[in-house]
């Protein structure tokens, strides 16, 4: 697992496997603006986590291009929002060549008056036959004023492909809340257990040493870089 | 000793009154069966007692071990020793059985002024209770009810009941969706957990479950009221004559 910076431009060489993490846990002057461009060559395998912690406003532009055959891409996007935070993720996965595989999962948990935007673009070029791709966006709104906009956009020009996408937005499961309370678990603890469970689908995919740090950072208040100096 | 005392309880959901004056007294050591046709108010009664937020009380009172039950939030009722085995246990993906049960057990212990269990004490407790209800060990290492069969979910309810040692358990249609073997195992678990200090309300449509969990009292709930109370022979009579008989008698 490697950390990457907010401006990252790299190419995975043939057969290369990389696991990358962009963790946005620092409040700078205004919103963060991250631009990630990744090219993948034949049989390379990319896993990228883009995680925005509570309190951090960010706009992330992520472009991943599979330029050669048999590439694999896994993209996890996670954001925890509160008060007036805004998180925008514009993601593009482009299959330019044959036999590519991609899987994208984006999850937002938004409280207060925070807002989230997920724009998920998937392009499959005319030559990219036998592409298999899935995109999922799931959001939980914890307050009446939190908002989320989701826009999947699939442009598929090849005919022999399997592509799926889905988006859901809802609140914490009321039935699960009551079930937990009936067992004696208080409302606040039940809420945090359900939120944690929702986020864990992504955090649980990180190596344990990194996962523990991410859990600490995204649930607690983000560090304010300007006052820490 | 009186565990539960319900007096003239009127309650409803969504602007509609369902319970029209329920009276029920339950003492320690007793098993009460609550029977009645669909729509009689059986599930409303259990939801009101456990504090489901969608149901509201119009009038009447409920005392649980001398406390005003209706003034307590759902979680405090549970910590005081009120347990419900759900008709439809909820799946909670991502929340492990271990974390779920540990949170529940320790919330209760804290409420009672007892120290939290250590990880090893807790696992030991889990193991012994699991054996009591004959639950497969892999089920407790999964997410709560996720991917459990109907029978496994019901057994998991009884397992949780064993873990929490409630003073009063409400078994809401525990027999629904169970085959006869699963029914027997669940009933055995309930019977093993029976002590002179606790009590149960067994809610059921059918007499069948009462072959395995023998009640001291049988009540018939009909159109929001308890219209008949008897011993276990009432359940047999009801099975024979059907709920139409109640309609005629109560009507």
């Amino acid at each position: 697992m490697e950390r990457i910076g907010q401006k990252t431009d790299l190419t995975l060489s043939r057969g290369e496997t990389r696991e990358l993490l962009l963790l946005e846990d620092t409040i700078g002057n205004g919103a963060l603006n991250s631009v990630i461009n990744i090219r993948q060559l034949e049989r390379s395998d990319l896993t990228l986590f883009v995680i925005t912690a509570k309190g951090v406003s960010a706009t992330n532009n992520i472009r991943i291009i599979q330029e050669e055959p048999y590439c694999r891409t896994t993209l996890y996007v996670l954001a925890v929002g509160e008060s007036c935070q805004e998180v925008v993720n514009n993601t593009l996965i482009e299959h330019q060549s044959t036999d590519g595989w991609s899987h994208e999962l984006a999850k937002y948990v938004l409280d207060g008056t925070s807002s989230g935007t997920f724009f998920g673009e998937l392009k499959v070029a005319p030559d990219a036959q036998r592409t298999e791709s899935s995109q999922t966006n799931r959001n939980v709104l914890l307050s009446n004023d939190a908002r989320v906009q989701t826009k999947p956009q699939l442009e598929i020009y090849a005919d022999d492909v399997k592509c799926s996408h889905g988006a859901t937005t809802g609140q914490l499961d009321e039935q699960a809340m009551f079930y937990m309370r009936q067992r004696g678990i208080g409302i606040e603890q039940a809420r945090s257990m359900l939120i944690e469970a929702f986020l864990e689908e992504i955090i649980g995919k990180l190596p344990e040493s990194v996962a523990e740090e991410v859990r600490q950072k995204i649930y607690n208040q983000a560090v304010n870089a300007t006052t820490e100096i | 000793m009186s565990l539960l005392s319900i007096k003239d309880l009127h309650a409803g959901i969504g602007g509609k009154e369902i319970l029209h004056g329920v009276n029920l007294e339950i003492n320690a050591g007793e098993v009460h069966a609550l029977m009645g046709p669909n729509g009689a108010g059986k599930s409303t009664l259990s939801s009101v007692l456990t504090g489901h937020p969608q149901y509201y009380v119009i009038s009447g009172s409920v005392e649980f071990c001398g406390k005003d039950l209706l003034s307590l939030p759902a979680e405090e009722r549970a910590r005081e020793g009120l347990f419900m085995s759900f008709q439809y246990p909820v799946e909670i993906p991502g929340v492990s059985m271990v974390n779920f049960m540990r949170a529940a057990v320790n919330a209760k212990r804290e409420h009672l002024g007892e120290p939290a269990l250590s990880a090893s004490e807790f696992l030991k407790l889990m193991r012994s209770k699991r054996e009591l209800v004959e639950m497969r060990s892999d089920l407790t290492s999964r997410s709560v009810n996720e991917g459990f069969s109907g029978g496994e979910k019901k057994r998991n309810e009884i397992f949780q009941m064993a873990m929490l040692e409630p003073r009063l358990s409400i078994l809401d249609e525990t027999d629904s969706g169970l085959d006869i073997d699963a029914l027997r195992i669940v009933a055995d678990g309930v019977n093993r957990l029976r002590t002179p200090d606790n009590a149960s309300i067994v809610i059921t449509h059918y007499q069948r479950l009462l072959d395995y969990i023998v009640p001291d009292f049988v009540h018939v709930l009909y159109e929001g009221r308890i219209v008949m109370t008897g011993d276990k022979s009432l359940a047999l009579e009801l099975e024979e004559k059907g709920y139409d008989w109640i309609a005629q008698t109560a009507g």
Side-chain angles (χ1 to χ4, degrees), chain B residues 32-46:
Chain B
H32 291 245
L34 187 65
M35 302 183 74
N38 274 329
K42 303 189 298 296
S43 288
T44 299
L45 182 60
S46 57

Side-chain angles (χ1 to χ4, degrees), chain B residues 135-148:
Chain B
M135 190 157 95
R136 294 206 326 263
S137 62
D138 61 307
L139 293 182
T140 51
S141 59
R142 303 218 308 241
S143 289
V144 179
N145 290 321
E146 195 185 26
F148 287 29

Side-chain angles (χ1 to χ4, degrees), chain B residues 121-148:
Chain B
E121 286 169 323
F122 176 77
L123 290 173
K124 210 169 135 189
L125 180 69
M126 287 259 288
R127 203 175 309 125
S128 73
K129 301 296 186 184
R130 208 174 57 213
E131 282 164 11
L132 187 74
V133 299
E134 300 173 44
M135 190 157 95
R136 294 206 326 263
S137 62
D138 61 307
L139 293 182
T140 51
S141 59
R142 303 218 308 241
S143 289
V144 179
N145 290 321
E146 195 185 26
F148 287 29

